[in-house]
Amino acid sequence: MSVDSPVVHIEEPRKQDENARPAEGSGGEALTARAVLGVPPSSPPKLLLGRGLDVGTANILTAVRDEKGEVHIKRERNAFLEIPATSGGGQETLTRLKVPFVSHRDRLFVLGDVSFQLANMFGKEVRRPMQDGFLAPGEQDAIPIMRFILERLLGEPAAEGEPVHFCIPAPSIDRDNDTVYHEGIVAGIIRKL
């Protein structure tokens, strides 16, 4: 009996290409080595319907299989940093720098890996929507932030009713956790996407 392992592609959060430089007269857009060499961008593989989602305390991962049987995984840190919306041009600056953020109730939230980088740069602490494997009980923004992160990772469904199979952390052995509540919140967020 043999088991075929699918090829796995892990897509880390996008970082700016260190070798990319603005081309003269290009309006400041960066050119990559592929563009300079005249290599056309590769077309994305056709993805099959159905996605996997792993909602963890530190990271959230999504997985989808393509027509060749290869698995494509996206990962994002399960964290955020709040930036006051009134801070001089914050939204415009974040947009210009291509920083992933959402505006919610007159506040700006930087999501995922970038929130760690900005927090370190400005001596701030990131916040987490989850704690010990479950929604953080003292975090009032936990549910909206989870929705924003899941929406960003899953994207638009490829077809109406596309299935999403998800997992959450198992109950703790050293404390009483309500996995039913946590699972219901995650399922509700997915249904509304």
Side-chain angles (χ1 to χ4, degrees), residues 76-90:
E76 189 67 78
R77 291 295 280 274
N78 197 353
F80 64 100
L81 178 68
E82 183 176 347
I83 297 176
T86 56
S87 63

Side-chain angles (χ1 to χ4, degrees), residues 33-143:
R34 290 180 71 86
V36 171
L37 296 173
V39 178
S42 58
S43 60
K46 182 177 182 202
L47 302 177
L48 301 177
L49 290 180
R51 302 176 195 202
L53 174 67
D54 180 0
V55 181
T57 302
N59 294 294
I60 299 177
L61 294 99
T62 59
V64 63
R65 190 178 304 267
D66 67 20
E67 63 189 348
K68 296 178 183 175
E70 296 178 354
V71 177
H72 299 263
I73 298 174
K74 290 182 185 176
R75 182 198 61 81
E76 189 67 78
R77 291 295 280 274
N78 197 353
F80 64 100
L81 178 68
E82 183 176 347
I83 297 176
T86 56
S87 63
Q91 188 165 349
E92 293 80 17
T93 302
L94 294 174
T95 301
R96 190 177 70 248
L97 296 173
K98 298 179 181 170
V99 172
F101 75 95
V102 293
S103 177
H104 178 65
R105 294 186 179 159
D106 297 325
R107 296 179 293 162
L108 300 176
F109 296 99
V110 175
L111 305 175
D113 290 277
V114 177
S115 67
F116 274 91
Q117 295 166 354
L118 288 177
N120 287 335
M121 189 180 336
F122 296 112
K124 303 236 179 207
E125 290 287 324
V126 294
R127 291 163 50 196
R128 293 183 173 271
M130 291 178 59
Q131 174 185 341
D132 300 323
F134 298 92
L135 288 169
E139 180 54 68
Q140 68 180 9
D141 296 308
I143 294 173

Side-chain angles (χ1 to χ4, degrees), residues 125-164:
E125 290 287 324
V126 294
R127 291 163 50 196
R128 293 183 173 271
M130 291 178 59
Q131 174 185 341
D132 300 323
F134 298 92
L135 288 169
E139 180 54 68
Q140 68 180 9
D141 296 308
I143 294 173
I145 293 298
M146 284 292 295
R147 181 175 60 83
F148 295 135
I149 293 173
L150 294 181
E151 190 174 75
R152 179 174 148 76
L153 277 173
L154 289 169
E156 292 289 321
E160 189 169 332
E162 178 180 19
V164 175

Side-chain angles (χ1 to χ4, degrees), residues 15-26:
K15 296 179 183 167
Q16 189 166 0
D17 185 349
E18 295 173 5
N19 299 319
R21 290 185 297 278
E24 290 186 35
S26 69

